[in-house]
Amino acid sequence: MLPKVTALGNTGRNAEMRYLMNGTAKSEFSLACSRKKRDGTEDTEWVNCVLWGDRAEKISQFITKGKKLYVEGELRSRSWDDDEGRSHYRTEVHVNQVEFLDGSPKEEPREKTGDMYDDLPFS
């Protein structure tokens, strides 16, 4: 059983949507989760979040920098070696639920960039 995670924070960047080789949609974004410390300063943790499949396709276009979100999901860690042989580690929340806390997303999503269609086999 994987640990369940809940996080509340502001998005640090627009969600990045892409498709894996098998056609599965994957969207990544980060949340800045802050808390006040006893001495009055603020401590911020950055939480890496991943959306998969239909959920990624439907809502990632509305996840833009600065949005206040509540997410629930499962905590997962992964590791890999890059081309130079260096090891990398990343801990992510695989998101099952997203709530927009500063209102429902507007019907007009952010503009799509041209690079989304760069790999199409025709001009």
Side-chain angles (χ1 to χ4, degrees):
M1 182 180 297
L2 294 171
K4 183 175 181 178
V5 174
T6 60
L8 171 68
N10 294 312
T11 53
R13 58 184 163 87
N14 294 348
E16 295 177 13
M17 177 75 168
R18 63 188 175 108
Y19 291 87
L20 304 181
M21 295 290 283
N22 66 3
T24 302
K26 179 182 182 183
S27 180
E28 297 179 293
F29 61 97
S30 59
L31 280 183
C33 303
S34 301
R35 66 179 175 93
K36 295 254 185 212
K37 297 194 303 187
R38 289 182 183 173
D39 63 4
T41 61
E42 198 170 90
D43 189 23
T44 301
E45 282 292 327
W46 286 92
V47 178
N48 299 309
C49 299
V50 180
L51 288 165
W52 293 96
D54 291 341
R55 185 175 289 118
E57 291 180 319
K58 290 177 183 173
I59 66 172
S60 68
Q61 61 189 329
F62 300 108
I63 299 174
T64 56
K65 184 176 180 176
K67 290 280 187 188
K68 185 175 286 295
L69 299 180
Y70 168 85
V71 299
E72 283 184 15
E74 298 172 350
L75 191 62
R76 303 229 181 135
S77 295
R78 60 186 172 101
S79 62
W80 69 97
D81 293 331
D82 64 18
D83 293 336
E84 284 98 39
R86 292 181 295 223
S87 296
H88 297 269
Y89 302 91
R90 184 173 172 101
T91 301
E92 305 166 323
V93 176
H94 285 219
V95 177
N96 297 324
Q97 179 182 345
V98 176
E99 291 184 33
F100 290 83
L101 298 179
D102 45 5
S104 296
K106 302 287 184 228
E107 285 300 313
E108 313 89 37
R110 69 173 188 258
E111 288 188 28
K112 290 182 172 62
T113 59
D115 61 357
M116 181 175 177
Y117 301 104
D118 284 346
D119 61 347
L120 291 177
F122 49 88
S123 302

